[in-house]
Amino acid sequence: MLTPSVLERARGNAESLMTDECTVTRPGEAVTDPATGVVKPASTQVYAGRCKVQTSGGLASENVEGSAAQTMGAVSLVWSLYVHFPYGTPGLRAGDVVEVTESANPLLAGRRLRLVSPQSEKTHATACRWNVKEDA
């Protein structure tokens, strides 16, 4: 039986795997400096703390129907990319940008990922999970 204490322990275990650090910002309206005329993008920090970058997939997917690649029988791998935050992390929205500020994996530090949609809608969630895409 899943008791509240078991679920709390599971959430703690999930968070213990979140060894990356990140900041999440929400893009805003660009602001023009009246003295210089320089336009700067504005953003608001909505989260700073632990996270984990996760991939899953590797599913073979046929390319777009009717394309030359499909005609030649090409198959591409499709990977899903996620960022996990501690359970109950408030205030995140689609379009927010995650910047990985520290990671044990040097290939992740400095990466910018845009939140696409939440993946935490389940009864016994142990983390706040989001689908993400590379931020251009």
Side-chain angles (χ1 to χ4, degrees), residues 75-90:
V75 172
S76 60
L77 294 180
V78 178
W79 290 93
S80 296
L81 187 57
Y82 306 95
V83 174
H84 298 190
F85 301 96
Y87 175 78
T89 299

Side-chain angles (χ1 to χ4, degrees), residues 20-21 52-55 81 99-113 134:
D20 296 336
E21 293 286 326
K52 176 176 83 169
V53 178
Q54 181 81 34
T55 58
L81 187 57
E99 182 171 354
V100 179
T101 54
E102 293 180 36
S103 178
N105 179 346
L107 299 175
L108 293 177
R111 296 271 294 272
R112 292 174 50 90
L113 308 161
E134 291 284 344

